[in-house]
Amino acid sequence: MPVPSSFNDVGQDRQLRSFVGWVWYEREATLPQRWTQDLGTRVVLRIGSAHYYAIVWVNGVHVAEHEGGHLPFEADISKLVQSGPLASCRITIAINNTLTPHTLPPGTILYQTDTSKYPKGYFVQNINFDFFNYAGLHRPVLLYTTPTTYIDDITVSTSVDQDTGLVDYQIFVEGGEHFQLEVRLLDEEGKVVAQGTGGRGQLQVPNAHLWWPYLMHEHPAYLYSLEVRLTAQTAAGSVSDFYTLPVGIRTVAVTEHQFLINGKPFYFHGVNKHEDADIRGKGFDWPLLVKDFNLLRWLGANAFRTSHYPYAEEVMQLCDRYGIVVIDESPGVGIVLVESYSNVSLQHHLEVMEELVRRDKNHPAVVMWSVANEPTSFLKPAGYYFKTLIAHTKALDPSRPVTFVTNSNYEADLGVPYVDVICVNSYYSWYHDYGHMEVIQLQLATQFENWYKTYQKPIIQSEYGADTIAGFHQDPPLMFSEEYQKGLLEQYHLVLDQKRKEYVVGELIWNFADFMTNQSPQRVMGNKKGIFTRQRQPKGAAFLLRERYWKLANETRYPWSAVKLQCLENSPFTL
Ligand code: GCB
């Protein structure tokens, strides 16, 4: 089985495609001698993503267990690989993709006991989310080393005082007490612009280049490099550890009707994505990722939401580098049953937010956390659940706003009182009043007005769209044709263009690309609401959005130039 990849679509076996239960991966690695002989070296096994519950053994010894499919975990395996003459290391990973009411996302196993209809022991995995439940080792599995005293974590937060950028840092060292830390901040030319010593401090950068979103500035996504050097005295002598962290200096703030980046109003015009592609499923793939970023830049998109789970770290790194703003979402999707609001579930959700914030806190591209998508937030226990979850996330990271994405009625929603920005999904003339595009404007305007009059908080249209089979044409438009998708989006845009002058701060299309789902009578080999096909070819709506996003970029950019941005065929960003 290739790693990284989902196991479902690489074989010809129908049972494997829909398999629910334990699968086993095993691999032998031969380690360099220094790793196994030098006791001053710490050897770590890092698993980028295992869907969903994983148990890990090295040379037959249990080293780690992890719940949750989308975030990395590690095990220090030094003792195991340094205990004998054996230089090889057998890594065994058992993964179980079963979802229960207490996992994230939640699910239920339904046993069918009517023996006239089902064989003995027959069961199915039920889920309340609309994407295929791919499983396997979706991201790289790595072995790496550090000294025994090492830099365990770094937290950076930035602010701006007039023209001076302020970079607050905190460095966490593990494995020893006797060490020195040196910190340097370098600009893009490699020039040292600030330095410090010790585990925490503030670096001041006069005339700082700020990190701006794509299309908002002529030099978007400016990144400094924070170099952290540790020198430690250990039993094995003096050792050093070194880490470089890209740092974008920027601020984020929310007012009653605006989302501010570096004090300027920011309008999200972008997409919702999925980690999804032919054959590899949710497996990480560089060419696919770079293609997606080229498409985002071609489109003039300045943002996306990691619907409906944390994406690979490499994705976040590219967002930092290209200035694509991220709403970083937890795997809290399909929280529907009352059992999924229990303390057991809440406790797990709090831990997932800890893991997510720990992993993504230093990315300038991440401007907001989303703790969930479309929960049954009108159920009684939802109030306490979201109050606790959002407060916890804010305590973990006071620098970013927190939201969850709702599709509940504005009067019934018990979670929205705790969010900073209201993110609302709606599918007018798709799931309701199907075929009737003429009702969209009225219904959408009412939606925005109701939410705003109740809460006076900025609003993002976090999903809207229509299933479209590429190549289906019909005029006047009928559902599933490319014309219908375009027509529906245009109706939404008419209202968005009014309300963005008031308090609507963003629009994210559902979805960037077609993606696989469970089989059902409503799905034709997956969800077809992509503006690109699953193979990343444009439908008509992609050209419509491209024109719109570049127009929006021209209207909302920070006025650094009177020259118009143009989307020329061969260049994603031309002045
Ligand atoms: C939604 C969900 C998303 C679905 C989409 C749809 O509201 O958040 O996961 O795929 O609608 O197409 O039904």
Side-chain angles (χ1 to χ4, degrees), residues 194-341:
Q195 42 196 326
T197 52
R200 71 191 298 164
Q202 186 180 71
L203 302 175
Q204 303 196 350
V205 189
N207 301 315
H209 298 280
L210 301 187
W211 186 96
W212 287 97
Y214 176 52
L215 301 182
M216 205 171 168
H217 193 269
E218 64 185 324
H219 191 143
Y222 192 97
L223 290 176
Y224 290 89
S225 296
L226 184 79
E227 290 186 352
V228 179
R229 186 181 300 277
L230 165 93
T231 315
Q233 294 71 48
T234 68
S238 176
V239 296
S240 71
D241 194 10
F242 183 72
Y243 200 87
T244 309
L245 181 75
V247 171
I249 301 178
R250 60 110 186 86
T251 62
V252 172
V254 172
T255 72
E256 256 186 29
H257 61 283
Q258 284 178 319
F259 195 99
L260 303 174
I261 296 185
N262 299 332
K264 306 287 174 212
F266 177 72
Y267 188 75
F268 296 75
H269 46 86
V271 304
N272 290 276
K273 286 184 97 264
H274 260 302
E275 291 189 316
D276 175 273
D278 285 331
I279 303 169
R280 49 191 72 53
K282 291 201 178 302
F284 178 76
D285 182 51
W286 270 117
L288 176 75
L289 178 56
V290 175
K291 177 75 179 172
D292 281 4
F293 271 78
N294 284 331
L295 290 175
L296 288 171
R297 296 192 309 152
W298 174 90
L299 207 56
N302 64 3
F304 67 80
R305 170 164 70 116
T306 68
S307 43
H308 295 309
Y309 38 79
Y311 293 176
E313 286 149 284
E314 292 84 345
V315 179
M316 313 309 283
Q317 288 160 6
L318 281 195
C319 288
D320 289 346
R321 273 217 240 163
Y322 286 123
I324 305 292
V325 164
V326 178
I327 301 174
D328 202 352
E329 189 157 281
S330 90
V333 56
I335 302 178
V336 170
L337 301 174
V338 108
E339 299 97 286
S340 297
Y341 290 99

Side-chain angles (χ1 to χ4, degrees), residues 388-418:
T388 312
L389 189 56
I390 291 170
H392 187 63
T393 309
K394 280 174 176 284
L396 291 167
D397 176 11
S399 78
R400 290 179 178 89
V402 182
T403 190
F404 75 93
V405 172
T406 185
N407 66 342
S408 298
N409 178 278
Y410 76 102
E411 283 176 313
D413 199 307
L414 300 173
V416 165
Y418 309 106

Side-chain angles (χ1 to χ4, degrees), residues 75 81 102 159 233 236 251 270 276 302 347 349 377 436 455 516 549:
V81 296
H102 308 305
S159 50
Q233 294 71 48
T251 62
D276 175 273
N302 64 3
Q347 184 56 36
H349 208 151
S377 43
H436 292 285
Y455 289 106
M516 191 47 72
Y549 288 173

Side-chain angles (χ1 to χ4, degrees), residues 35 54 72 103 255 263 300 452 455 512 524 575:
W35 292 26
T103 56
T255 72
Y452 196 73
Y455 289 106
F512 173 71
V524 191
L575 301 180

Side-chain angles (χ1 to χ4, degrees), residues 107-118:
T108 45
I109 296 288
L110 176 68
Y111 279 92
Q112 298 285 10
T113 49
D114 180 346
T115 49
S116 70
K117 289 191 185 158
Y118 303 98

Side-chain angles (χ1 to χ4, degrees), residues 27-32 36 58-59 80-82 84-91 143:
R27 169 93 192 234
E28 201 130 331
T30 305
L31 304 184
T36 58
V58 168
N59 292 338
L80 291 169
V81 296
Q82 291 169 346
L86 206 70
S88 80
C89 155
R90 181 161 42 92
I91 302 164
L143 285 164

